[in-house]
């Protein structure tokens, strides 16, 4: 275990101070939730159930505020950004914003996570604006079930979005499936097969206890080891080196002939806190150092008090320094402490 560093070692004196937390993790990846609004109402994510209360527009950080934060973060060594939400593509003028992000010197890698509903329309523009990678959330390959999970009958539209993303040159296109026992676990084989037959990358994500409206419970949750057991008869899972773009996923190919890859993201059963390099900015402007910890810093209040860029940098560093060593969610669940209360639609996953 790395020794805990003292906060007094903080230095803000240079423009390029590196964001390192108290456990020697370098934080180089910022996730921005652009809005809590979404054109889907997924049963595990919709704010306060499907009739949830949304943030007022004035509660969201403006694009100008977001650009200030990103510039400050990049000046401290952040090089990778992910746009998420809610659904990032529903925010008005999102392409103007993305184009402005593309002009920030030092920001090497801008990615987006989307539900794909608007992707057919936006894929080309996203590519032209310099988005490097697209993740698409897809929890079912069955149109009727997709409609039940998301509250919207638009599987075909999402699928056209996926095809369009591939056609305009995004490679690989990654599909993320949140695995829920009794809801979509009978499709594990079909999703795995998709990663064999096509060059899509499929990643199975463990269902996390986030948000009051999440349907998470111990019966719905399925750990990655159980998911793998279900795939046993399909063929050998050949480990592949985790590429720079794979994030926390453990990656495999389903047999030597597989065109795509298959990944397992196991935040609960095999957590990856020791190599977490992320900081999140929620749609209401709170800095969140750990997805599964509700501690947040109110950056919006600071921004709206006409703060200096130096103060933004200090707030980013303080948030990074508040990053817990690990989320301890397994222990917290055993001790009946419950999951976290933040809403996924504001945090952005
Ligand atoms: N609207 C976009 C989308 O659907 O990809 C971005 C926002 S969504 C909150 C980001 C990711 O979080 C999605 O892949 C979603 O499936 C995942 N997610 C939401 N709630 C989750 C939970 N309780 N456990 C695991 N993943 C979750």
């Amino acid at each position: 275990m790395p020794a805990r560093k003292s906060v007094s070692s903080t230095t803000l004196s240079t423009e390029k101070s590196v964001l390192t937390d108290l456990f020697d993790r370098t934080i180089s990846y910022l996730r921005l939730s652009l809005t809590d609004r979404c054109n889907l109402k997924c049963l595990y994510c919709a704010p306060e159930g499907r009739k949830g209360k949304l943030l007022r527009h004035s509660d969201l950080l403006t694009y100008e505020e977001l650009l200030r934060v990103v510039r400050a973060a990049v000046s401290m060594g952040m090089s990778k950004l992910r746009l998420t939400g809610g659904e990032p593509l529903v925010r008005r003028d999102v392409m103007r914003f993305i184009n402005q992000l593309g002009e920030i010197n030092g920001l090497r890698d801008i990615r987006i996570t989307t539900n794909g509903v608007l992707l057919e329309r936006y894929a080309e523009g996203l590519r032209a604006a310099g988005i490097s990678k697209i993740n698409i959330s897809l929890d079912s390959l069955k149109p009727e079930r997709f409609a039940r999970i998301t509250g919207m009958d638009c599987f075909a539209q999402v699928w056209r979005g996926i095809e369009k993303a591939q056609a305009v040159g995004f490679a690989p296109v990654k599909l993320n499936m949140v695995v829920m026992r009794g809801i979509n676990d009978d499709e594990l084989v079909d999703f795995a097969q998709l990663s064999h037959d096509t060059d899509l990358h499929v990643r199975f994500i463990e269902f996390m206890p986030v948000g009051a409206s999440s349907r998470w419970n111990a019966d719905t949750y399925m750990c990655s080891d159980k998911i793998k057991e279900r795939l046993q008869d399909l063929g050998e899972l050949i480990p592949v080196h985790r590429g720079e773009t794979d994030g926390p996923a453990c990656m495999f190919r389903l047999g030597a002939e597989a065109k795509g890859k298959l990944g397992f993201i196991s935040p609960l059963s095999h957590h990856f806190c020791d190599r977490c390099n992320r900081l999140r900015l929620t749609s209401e402007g709170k800095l969140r150092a750990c997805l599964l910890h509700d501690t947040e810093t109110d950056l919006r209040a600071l921004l709206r008090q006409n703060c200096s860029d130096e103060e933004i940098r200090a707030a980013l560093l303080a948030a990074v320094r508040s990053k817990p060593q690990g989320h301890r969610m397994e222990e917290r669940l055993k001790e009946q402490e419950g999951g976290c209360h933040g809403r996924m639609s504001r945090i952005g996953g």
Side-chain angles (χ1 to χ4, degrees), residues 48-67:
E48 289 171 7
R50 291 185 171 182
K51 295 194 188 113
K53 200 166 154 242
L54 293 166
L55 294 170
R56 290 170 305 176
H57 192 69
S58 58
D59 293 329
L60 302 178
L61 293 190
T62 63
Y63 285 144
E64 286 64 33
E65 288 168 332
L66 285 166
L67 286 166

Side-chain angles (χ1 to χ4, degrees), residues 44-45 84-87 113-115 137 178 206-208 344 348-349:
Y44 56 87
C45 182
T84 174
E87 171 51 38
T113 295
T114 170
N115 58 32
S137 307
V178 177
E206 287 179 350
F207 190 19
M208 290 178 275
M344 225 24 154

Side-chain angles (χ1 to χ4, degrees), residues 101-149:
L101 286 174
E103 288 165 11
I104 297 179
N105 267 341
L107 184 56
R108 286 192 284 112
D109 191 353
I110 312 174
R111 303 174 181 203
I112 193 164
T113 295
T114 170
N115 58 32
V117 173
L118 295 173
L119 200 48
E120 193 179 14
R121 189 197 307 169
Y122 279 110
E124 204 159 3
L126 291 171
R127 184 101 182 113
I131 295 281
S132 60
K133 295 271 184 304
I134 292 194
N135 289 359
I136 301 157
S137 307
L138 189 72
D139 296 330
S140 178
L141 296 168
K142 300 180 187 217
E144 279 170 30
R145 178 177 290 166
F146 177 93
R148 268 203 307 283
I149 294 176

